[in-house]
Each structure stands twice: as structure tokens, then as C-alpha cells.
Amino acid sequence: MRVPASYQGLLGALSRYWSDYGGWKDLLSSPLFHFSVLVSGASYSAWLRPDWIELPLSLLPNLLGFSLGAYALIFSLADERLLAALNAPTTDGSPTVLRMVNATFLHFILIQTAAIVFAIMNKSTLLIDIIGVLPFSPYWATVLNRLLTGFAGLVGYFLTVYAIVLLIGAALAAYRLAIMSGRAAAIAQQTPITQPVQPLTPAQGQQE
């Protein structure tokens, strides 16, 4: 069966983002990811209670709105010459500076969205209803319900903590972009408008 074009576009965009972000290797080796796992594990008393759902639903929508606004503002301040310098192809074929910063912000936004959606799903009684119709004795149905509810609490709480901790990653990406923007602006001032802007590499931004 042929996949609709709209789904192909969505999957293609997500695939490019995941590649630019670094995939599973960069995700699982991230200090921010490790820190979120430690905080979530140490906070077991919070996600074992059913009211953990209120934390992401009260906190993350405002954070998501702020993130989208900051994302749009940062790139609205860049002119064409600066964007061209940041998006210049790299010599080793790795993602450009602009694509890596974009992937960082998109990852930040997607995790926030996932945490909100997961919390909304856990407010329903679908899991309890499914267990109720399965051929389990009352005892095993209660045990299974507690196990799945606890696991859902762990996942949801981790997504919430990770979404908050990713503020650090987004701030560092913005800081890095600001440093590289200053370098690119200096290069642009020394380059006549009729000449192409020289590519800007991550190493040049780190020299500031």
C-alpha cells in the first residue's frame, strides 16, 4: 500500500531531524539524558503517585509556548548572509551548524510535546479498561494494573524531567549560535557584498 504524500513528507522531515541530531548514539550518550535518568530514578516517590500527571500538564504548555517563541525569534534576527554562512556545507559531510542548532531546538520541542501528550493519555482509563476485559483473576489484574501504572508514571515523569533539563541544551545551542553569528558577521563585514560569504565552521565559532 502506498504511503500518502503527507505522511512521506512528515517522515522525511523527522528522519532529517534525527540524522542532524545524531541519532540514538548521541541521544544515549548525552549528559543531559543521563542526568534526567538519575533525577527520575531518585524521584520514584513522585511518579508512583497518580498525581504526577499534573506536573507536565501545568508546567510544560507554558514552556512549550516560550520555546516556540524563542526559536522563531532567534532565526528571525539572522539575515541572509549570516544564514548562508551558518548553512555552508562542511568538509567532512556532517550536518551544518544551522542544521545542528535547528535539530537541537526541534528535539527540545518534540520532547515537551511528547511529555504533554503522554500525560493526557494517562488521564484516561483506557489501560484499566483493557486489563478489565482480559482473562485475569482479580489478583493478577490488580498486580498488572499497578505494574503498568508505575511504568507509565516512570516514563511520563522522565519525559517531563528531560524536557526541563533540555532547557540547558537549548540555551547552549543559542549561545553557540550567538558566538558563531558574531564570527560570521565579522567575516561578512570584510567581504564585499558581490562576493560569496565564506563558509563558517563550528571550529571558527569556538575561537571566540
Side-chain angles (χ1 to χ4, degrees), residues 83-117:
L83 291 176
L86 295 174
N87 201 38
T90 56
T91 56
D92 59 357
S94 60
T96 64
V97 174
L98 187 62
R99 288 175 61 181
M100 287 190 293
V101 172
N102 268 298
T104 299
F105 271 94
L106 181 56
H107 183 71
F108 181 38
I109 292 170
L110 288 178
I111 293 298
Q112 293 176 48
T113 304
I116 294 173
V117 172

Side-chain angles (χ1 to χ4, degrees), residues 18-77:
W18 190 241
S19 176
D20 292 344
Y21 189 75
W24 287 107
K25 179 181 178 180
D26 282 15
L27 174 67
L28 297 179
S29 62
S30 168
L32 301 180
F33 183 88
H34 299 161
F35 182 71
S36 300
V37 171
L38 290 175
V39 171
S40 300
S43 306
Y44 62 90
S45 60
W47 49 262
L48 284 175
R49 299 197 307 265
D51 60 352
W52 70 265
I53 299 175
E54 303 306 322
L55 178 62
L57 293 182
S58 62
L59 179 63
L60 294 184
N62 292 330
L63 183 60
L64 179 59
F66 171 79
S67 305
L68 290 170
Y71 183 40
L73 178 61
I74 288 174
F75 289 99
S76 67
L77 298 177

Side-chain angles (χ1 to χ4, degrees), residues 31-203:
L32 301 180
F33 183 88
H34 299 161
F35 182 71
S36 300
V37 171
L38 290 175
V39 171
S40 300
S43 306
Y44 62 90
S45 60
W47 49 262
L48 284 175
R49 299 197 307 265
D51 60 352
W52 70 265
I53 299 175
E54 303 306 322
L55 178 62
L57 293 182
S58 62
L59 179 63
L60 294 184
N62 292 330
L63 183 60
L64 179 59
F66 171 79
S67 305
L68 290 170
Y71 183 40
L73 178 61
I74 288 174
F75 289 99
S76 67
L77 298 177
D79 57 23
E80 293 182 2
R81 288 170 63 84
L82 174 57
L83 291 176
L86 295 174
N87 201 38
T90 56
T91 56
D92 59 357
S94 60
T96 64
V97 174
L98 187 62
R99 288 175 61 181
M100 287 190 293
V101 172
N102 268 298
T104 299
F105 271 94
L106 181 56
H107 183 71
F108 181 38
I109 292 170
L110 288 178
I111 293 298
Q112 293 176 48
T113 304
I116 294 173
V117 172
F118 192 83
I120 293 174
M121 291 174 60
N122 275 270
K123 286 185 72 72
S124 70
T125 60
L126 177 61
L127 184 61
I128 298 176
D129 295 339
I130 292 176
I131 295 176
V133 299
L134 294 177
F136 290 119
S137 65
Y139 171 78
W140 287 112
T142 301
V143 171
L144 183 60
N145 179 52
R146 289 180 178 177
L147 288 175
L148 293 179
T149 300
F151 180 74
L154 171 60
V155 173
Y157 199 84
F158 165 76
L159 287 174
T160 303
V161 173
Y162 188 40
I164 296 172
V165 172
L166 280 176
L167 275 168
I168 300 174
L172 290 175
Y175 174 71
R176 184 184 183 194
L177 181 60
I179 293 178
M180 294 183 177
S181 298
R183 180 63 179 173
I187 294 175
Q189 289 177 356
Q190 301 171 7
T191 306
I193 297 180
T194 56
Q195 297 182 11
V197 179
Q198 296 298 318
L200 180 66
T201 64

